Amino acid sequence: MRAVVQTVGRASVTVDGEVVGAVTDGLLVLLGVTHTDTGETARTMARKIHELRILDDERSAADTGAAILVVSQFTLYGDARRGRRPSWTAAAPAEVAEPLVEAVVAALRDRGAPVQTGRFRTHMLVESVNVGPRTLLLDL
């Protein structure tokens, strides 16, 4: 599982002209799933995201109650080492990835995090205003 975590002043996801998820002063998480990920991987990723000390004064979303916007992003497992057309073979198929993305979201909510999400298997417009900017790649 991979996540790109960014501190944002605001971030939103729009699908078909409707904002389906939005946060202010929190984290935007782009989340990718691979074939070997499990429920345990999802719980570990949720803990890491929630406790990541990336906010001001080295604080975490767990410390501050910051909102988290989670957006599924299979392209995090794209491989462009050969040629110009990326391969997506390392990305888990949607039937595997969707429940694991939902497991990360559920684990974050179980930890008390306010979580918004994008919409799986749709064309999403993701907007964000980075703060810092601070961006970190988590790779489990």
Side-chain angles (χ1 to χ4, degrees), residues 1 3 22 25 32 51 108 132:
M1 195 168 282
D25 298 321
E51 295 178 1
L108 284 165

Side-chain angles (χ1 to χ4, degrees), residues 58-139:
E58 294 186 11
R59 298 179 74 200
S60 68
D63 297 331
T64 65
I68 303 169
L69 176 59
V70 177
V71 180
S72 175
Q73 188 82 36
F74 78 92
T75 59
L76 290 178
Y77 278 100
D79 183 355
R81 289 178 288 185
R82 301 180 89 182
R84 295 175 293 151
R85 182 177 296 137
S87 166
W88 311 111
T89 58
E95 306 75 44
V96 172
E98 187 171 11
L100 289 170
V101 170
E102 290 172 359
V104 170
V105 170
L108 284 165
R109 288 181 175 146
D110 287 348
R111 297 175 63 82
V115 181
Q116 296 281 310
T117 65
R119 201 172 280 164
F120 208 86
R121 289 186 177 184
T122 62
H123 184 265
M124 296 179 277
L125 300 177
V126 180
E127 294 184 83
S128 66
V129 175
N130 293 64
V131 173
R134 287 174 237 143
T135 301
L136 190 67
L137 173 66
L138 299 177
D139 199 357

Side-chain angles (χ1 to χ4, degrees), residues 19-85:
V19 175
V20 297
V23 299
T24 56
D25 298 321
L27 300 175
L28 170 61
V29 177
L30 305 176
L31 184 64
V33 178
T34 192
H35 304 278
T36 57
D37 290 332
T38 64
E40 184 59 33
T41 311
R43 287 185 292 279
T44 300
M45 182 60 82
R47 180 184 52 76
K48 286 222 173 241
I49 291 166
H50 198 226
E51 295 178 1
L52 186 63
R53 300 176 80 162
I54 193 173
L55 298 170
D56 290 341
D57 300 321
E58 294 186 11
R59 298 179 74 200
S60 68
D63 297 331
T64 65
I68 303 169
L69 176 59
V70 177
V71 180
S72 175
Q73 188 82 36
F74 78 92
T75 59
L76 290 178
Y77 278 100
D79 183 355
R81 289 178 288 185
R82 301 180 89 182
R84 295 175 293 151
R85 182 177 296 137

